[in-house]
Amino acid sequence: MKIYKLGEEVLRKKCEPVKEITPEMKSIFNEMFDTMIEAEGVGLAAPQVGISERFFVAIADDDVRRVFVNPQIVSTSAELTDYEEGCLSLPGFNESIRRPAKVTVQAMDENGKNFVLEAEGLLARIIQHENDHLDGIIYIDRGDPKFAADVTEKMKKRLERAAKKEAEKAKKAAKIAAKIKAREEKKNR
């Protein structure tokens, strides 16, 4: 699956609730786990793979694969902790972000079963980070505005370079296709 990067519109949209968990969705959950693990992440939200629906997957330090569908954080601790966060949609950038140390979340699992989970440590951090994605919020929005502006500018330049490369590839492919077509036409005369 493609992981969308900062600057792509889908990451800033508020996601719609999931109406029904279908067999296709279960397949998407598995693909998201594979994509997340391959990218060496610990959480991945639907908008990060171009889907504007309220769900995310996570694997914290306990190695349990968790799916959160239509999650709602129902309570947070007064105690706050700082933690160096990164994001698969902003590769190569990290910033210390202050968040509640503990959270209670209610959601559905991959089978549509409701659950309530009290989390702390890394899992609490992942839940808050990924849940933010569902509201179009990226972790840099919660940190130093100067850092956020710098990262946003750098990611914009990365996206521009990537788009330029893709355009060059497409141009080369079109040129090659035209040459092949011309040869075929010459042969068929």
Side-chain angles (χ1 to χ4, degrees), residues 4 10 16-17 22 33 42-43 46 53 58 61 64 67 69 71 76 81 83 85 95 100 104 120 127 157 163 174 181:
Y4 287 73
V10 69
E16 295 294 320
T22 63
F33 276 117
V42 292
E53 293 186 47
D61 39 10
V64 175
V67 175
V69 179
T76 59
T81 60
Y83 189 85
E85 288 190 30
E95 182 182 18
T104 302
E120 59 185 307
I127 290 167
K157 287 179 182 172
K181 184 178 178 187

Side-chain angles (χ1 to χ4, degrees), residues 42-45 54-60 62 66-68 70-76 85 99-107 115-135 137 142:
V42 292
L44 188 63
R54 298 190 75 79
F55 64 89
F56 64 85
V57 299
I59 302 177
D62 59 3
R66 292 183 174 91
V67 175
F68 296 80
N70 295 333
Q72 291 182 317
I73 294 175
V74 293
S75 69
T76 59
E85 288 190 30
R99 294 188 189 264
K102 297 177 185 175
V103 297
T104 302
V105 62
Q106 63 184 32
F115 69 91
V116 174
L117 176 69
E118 290 181 15
E120 59 185 307
L122 181 60
L123 183 56
R125 177 72 49 169
I126 295 167
I127 290 167
Q128 293 172 82
H129 178 110
E130 301 307 331
N131 197 65
D132 274 354
H133 275 299
L134 306 182
D135 292 321
I137 299 167
R142 298 196 177 278

